[in-house]
Amino acid sequence: MIGVMRYFSVEEANRLVPLLSRTFERVRPWVERAQELADTLSTASSANDPNLAPLREERDGLLESIRSELLQLQEMGLEIKGADGLVDFRAHRGGEQVYLCWRYGDPAVSHWHALLDGFSGRRPIDSPDDFAPTYLS
């Protein structure tokens, strides 16, 4: 099983922002390069071209590195929504389960959305006190 079901307060989520920033600073160039390689490989005239083997190996190595880095975050109870730096933290707001939402480059966790709304449904966090403190469950 990946990760634990964990709920975060805004303060707890914000304490992880420096770690998230460092992780995605490392991972984002790998994601970009892996995408370039995938594009090159998908447009290759022959999938059996022996010259493509090193590109496949590089892509596979990058994907493994990305998975390994992001797995560490998932094991902390975070939900990675984009390998380029989109992370959700499960939280309680009133009686409702919601996500606190962070995007690479944001200095803090400043938005939330309903579980089914996704990034497009993000709303600003007006009062951090609206989000219950954490309890490991």
Side-chain angles (χ1 to χ4, degrees):
M1 180 184 137
I2 291 180
V4 290
M5 181 67 74
R6 179 175 173 191
Y7 297 90
F8 292 84
S9 68
V10 175
E11 182 188 337
E12 288 171 317
N14 276 320
R15 280 202 295 262
L16 292 171
V17 166
L19 170 68
L20 292 174
S21 295
R22 284 192 307 272
T23 300
F24 285 105
E25 248 163 58
R26 209 169 30 249
V27 167
R28 282 168 64 94
W30 302 343
V31 171
E32 207 171 287
R33 178 64 180 149
Q35 188 59 57
E36 288 170 12
L37 290 165
D39 292 347
T40 300
L41 290 165
S42 72
T43 57
S45 55
S46 166
N48 297 325
D49 183 340
N51 297 324
L52 297 177
L55 297 183
R56 266 193 222 93
E57 282 173 29
E58 183 185 353
R59 178 203 59 200
D60 293 349
L62 286 166
L63 292 175
E64 188 49 46
S65 296
I66 293 164
R67 267 194 294 274
S68 171
E69 288 282 333
L70 299 184
L71 182 62
Q72 293 174 39
L73 299 177
Q74 289 173 309
E75 287 173 345
M76 297 167 67
L78 309 181
E79 296 186 32
I80 311 302
K81 300 299 172 139
D84 58 346
L86 191 57
V87 178
D88 282 343
F89 302 80
R90 207 171 271 262
H92 283 127
R93 184 175 187 270
E96 180 186 15
Q97 282 189 43
V98 299
Y99 284 127
L100 300 172
C101 187
W102 178 84
R103 180 173 50 178
Y104 179 76
D106 289 350
V109 176
S110 58
H111 287 77
W112 69 279
H113 60 80
L115 292 187
L116 299 176
D117 283 355
F119 185 81
S120 62
R122 281 178 21 134
R123 287 175 258 182
I125 294 172
D126 296 323
S127 169
D129 295 338
D130 290 347
F131 300 87
T134 187
Y135 299 99
L136 291 180
S137 46

